């Protein structure tokens, strides 16, 4: 036997890894372009509702989010287990919505202000009472374009 | 001066740096695109404005949603899966029945004179209604309108509604305007 020759130097030649950074950078740029930053830390639990007639929110800079849901466990001792509203990173009440909308409208470009969309991300089990209050507040704040956030129904 | 050879910069750790950045972006960003049901709220009505003239009973499609998420359509209990067909029949009124909405004839660009239904969908929920149930109702109503618009654009323009030009879409929308009015929710099941 003894037909298998050992290579003279012992080990195999090292693979050239010079292009590895390029590949990784390519991946990096892909993710930078195709993803968006997380807007806020969620303080309420939102399991999204489901629907079929959905439209995509195309331009993120036009969208302001209002979250509704039961506070996460860590906040339950302070805020209870009733559905609450979250604006930005804070718990809020219906009264805060008007100033929140005005503030986020001020932060937008003037040409975009009329196109502002408010997306209501509510937990699917939250009662309509809270959402109706939000809608009334939005009407008062003249933010009339809204979007009930929902996911596609799983087939 | 003798030319000194510049030592090559070691780029071996470049990959590590790039990986670090990559992982940072993977963690701090989300890929999910936001979707939802688009709706427009009615503007606040000035206090001194006169109330609108009453709408004939046959022109109103009453959808009530109670605190137990049960659906009452036109006085009868209905399952959510039947709502779309009921709404379509109401809006379209194909046989010109007397108890379904009236029509008015109107000139629409591109389509000529068409009969437009005077029907209005009236939706009322309870403060204790679940959001999912409410959204499903909104969804089914939107689906009814979308299917009617789709059928019309196939018939008139031989195209899908989503592929229509702006002009054409406007015309189709004029024939089937989404008229969903929402009343203040009741608080029957209230706490």
């Amino acid at each position: 036997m003894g037909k298998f020759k050992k290579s003279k130097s012992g080990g195999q030649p090292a693979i050239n890894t010079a292009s590895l950074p390029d590949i990784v950078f390519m991946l990096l740029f892909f993710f930078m372009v195709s993803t968006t930053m997380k807007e806020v830390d969620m303080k309420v639990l939102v399991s999204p509702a489901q629907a079929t007639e959905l439209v995509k929110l195309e331009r993120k800079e036009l969208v302001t989010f209002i979250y509704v849901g039961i506070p996460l466990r860590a906040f339950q001792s302070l805020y209870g287990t009733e559905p609450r509203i979250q604006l930005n990173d804070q718990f809020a009440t219906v009264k805060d919505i008007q100033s929140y909308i005005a503030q986020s409208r001020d932060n937008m470009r003037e040409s975009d202000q009329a196109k502002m969309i408010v997306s209501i991300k509510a937990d699917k089990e939250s009662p309509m009472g809270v959402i109706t209050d939000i809608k009334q507040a939005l009407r008062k704040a003249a933010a009339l374009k809204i979007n009930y956030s929902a996911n596609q129904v799983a087939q | 001066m003798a030319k000194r050879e510049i030592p090559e910069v070691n780029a071996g750790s470049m990959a590590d740096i790039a990986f670090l950045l990559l992982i940072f972006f993977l963690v701090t960003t989300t890929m999910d695109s936001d979707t939802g049901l688009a709706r427009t709220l009615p503007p606040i009505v000035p206090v001194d404005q006169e109330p609108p003239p009453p709408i004939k009973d046959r022109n109103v499609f009453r959808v009530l949603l109670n605190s137990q998420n049960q659906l009452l359509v036109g006085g009868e209990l209905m399952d959510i899966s039947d709502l779309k067909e009921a709404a379509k029949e109401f809006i379209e009124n194909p046989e010109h029945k007397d108890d379904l909405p009236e029509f008015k004839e109107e000139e629409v660009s591109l389509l000529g004179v068409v009969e437009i239904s005077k029907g209005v969908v009236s939706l009322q929920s309870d403060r204790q209604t679940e959001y999912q149930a409410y959204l499903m109702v909104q969804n089914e109503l939107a689906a009814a309108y979308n299917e009617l618009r789709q059928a019309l654009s196939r018939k008139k323009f031989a195209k899908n509604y989503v592929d229509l030009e702006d002009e054409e879409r406007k015309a189709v929308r004029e024939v089937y305007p989404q008229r969903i009015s929402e009343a203040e929710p009741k608080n029957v099941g209230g706490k």
Side-chain angles (χ1 to χ4, degrees):
Chain A
M1 307 301 262
K3 286 257 158 108
F4 299 100
K5 267 185 249 160
K6 270 187 184 169
S7 61
K8 280 159 215 151
S9 61
Q12 283 153 331
I15 300 168
N16 185 6
T17 57
S19 55
L20 186 61
D22 302 358
I23 297 166
V24 177
F25 267 116
M26 215 157 71
L27 271 174
L28 176 65
F29 288 138
F30 168 74
F31 275 98
M32 282 172 75
V33 170
S34 65
T35 61
T36 48
M37 281 279 178
K38 274 180 197 156
E39 293 94 15
V40 289
D41 282 332
M42 296 299 283
K43 296 207 165 150
V44 295
L45 192 71
V46 175
S47 51
Q50 296 186 329
T52 54
E53 308 297 310
L54 299 172
V55 281
K56 239 183 184 175
L57 287 174
E58 296 287 0
R59 292 176 58 194
K60 276 279 165 67
E61 68 268 25
L62 298 181
V63 185
T64 308
F65 289 98
I66 294 177
Y67 303 92
V68 182
I70 293 164
L72 293 181
R73 181 151 295 172
F75 304 103
Q76 278 183 1
S77 56
L78 221 60
Y79 295 100
T81 53
E82 284 293 299
R84 302 272 312 214
I85 301 168
Q86 182 190 346
L87 304 171
N88 281 335
D89 276 341
Q90 287 159 2
F91 285 104
T93 58
V94 177
K95 276 178 246 149
D96 303 325
I97 288 178
Q98 275 200 54
S99 60
Y100 171 68
I101 295 296
Q103 194 192 348
S104 47
R105 188 179 281 143
D106 279 345
N107 289 339
M108 282 157 94
R109 263 187 288 154
E110 213 163 314
S111 56
D112 286 343
Q113 284 179 2
K115 297 179 197 154
M116 176 172 178
I117 300 170
V118 179
S119 177
I120 300 176
K121 277 197 173 189
D123 188 88
K124 62 182 172 196
E125 280 167 19
S126 40
M128 278 309 290
V130 184
I131 289 150
T132 309
D133 293 342
I134 294 173
K135 275 157 68 182
Q136 286 300 334
L138 290 177
R139 282 177 71 188
K140 276 183 204 144
L144 300 179
K145 278 188 194 167
I146 61 167
N147 186 297
Y148 298 112
S149 180
N151 286 353
Q152 187 73 34
V153 175
Q155 296 296 319
Chain B
M1 279 273 243
K3 250 197 186 166
R4 210 185 293 166
E5 214 171 277
I6 306 166
E8 216 173 291
V9 179
N10 183 9
S13 52
M14 182 77 106
D16 302 356
I17 296 166
F19 264 119
L20 216 72
L21 276 171
L22 177 66
I23 289 163
F24 170 74
F25 272 92
L26 278 174
V27 171
T28 57
T29 62
T30 48
M31 207 145 173
D32 56 323
S33 55
D34 281 295
T35 52
L37 277 178
R39 283 273 162 268
T40 312
L41 295 174
I44 288 273
V45 184
V47 191
D48 52 349
Q49 194 182 336
E50 277 180 42
I55 303 171
K56 273 191 207 161
D57 224 31
R58 60 181 282 197
N59 290 341
V60 184
F61 186 68
R62 282 203 177 76
V63 182
L64 300 175
L65 199 57
N66 74 1
S67 56
Q68 307 297 314
N69 304 327
Q70 287 163 325
L71 201 60
L72 197 74
V73 178
E76 280 170 50
L77 211 62
M78 188 182 275
D79 194 68
I80 182 80
S81 53
D82 301 326
L83 179 64
K84 185 167 79 186
E85 288 308 315
K88 270 170 86 173
E89 200 194 341
F90 170 84
I91 302 156
E92 210 174 15
N93 191 6
E95 289 150 25
H96 289 65
K97 283 188 195 153
D98 279 343
D99 54 341
L100 290 175
E102 300 168 289
F103 292 95
K104 58 170 179 226
E105 294 201 337
E106 217 167 273
E107 176 93 32
V108 176
S109 60
L110 296 173
L111 296 175
V113 178
V114 272
E115 287 183 324
I116 296 177
S117 168
K118 283 186 180 173
V120 177
V121 178
S122 159
L123 171 59
Q124 187 169 36
S125 59
D126 192 274
R127 285 190 74 86
Q128 299 303 319
T129 306
E130 258 179 33
Y131 180 62
Q132 173 71 59
Y134 171 81
L135 208 65
M136 272 327 279
V137 171
Q138 285 271 15
N139 186 55
E140 293 305 304
L141 294 174
Y145 278 106
N146 284 347
E147 282 185 15
L148 288 172
R149 286 173 177 180
Q150 166 71 7
L152 183 74
S153 59
R154 286 250 50 122
K155 198 168 126 201
K156 296 283 180 186
F157 303 109
K159 272 193 271 186
N160 286 333
Y161 178 66
V162 284
D163 299 328
L164 292 181
E165 306 291 327
D166 284 348
E167 253 329 76
E168 296 166 342
R169 189 171 306 174
K170 222 179 121 205
V172 174
R173 263 194 215 167
E174 253 175 80
V175 180
Y176 291 123
Q178 268 200 25
R179 277 194 291 239
I180 300 173
S181 112
E182 278 181 67
E184 290 274 314
K186 286 186 232 166
N187 196 5
V188 178
K191 280 179 200 165

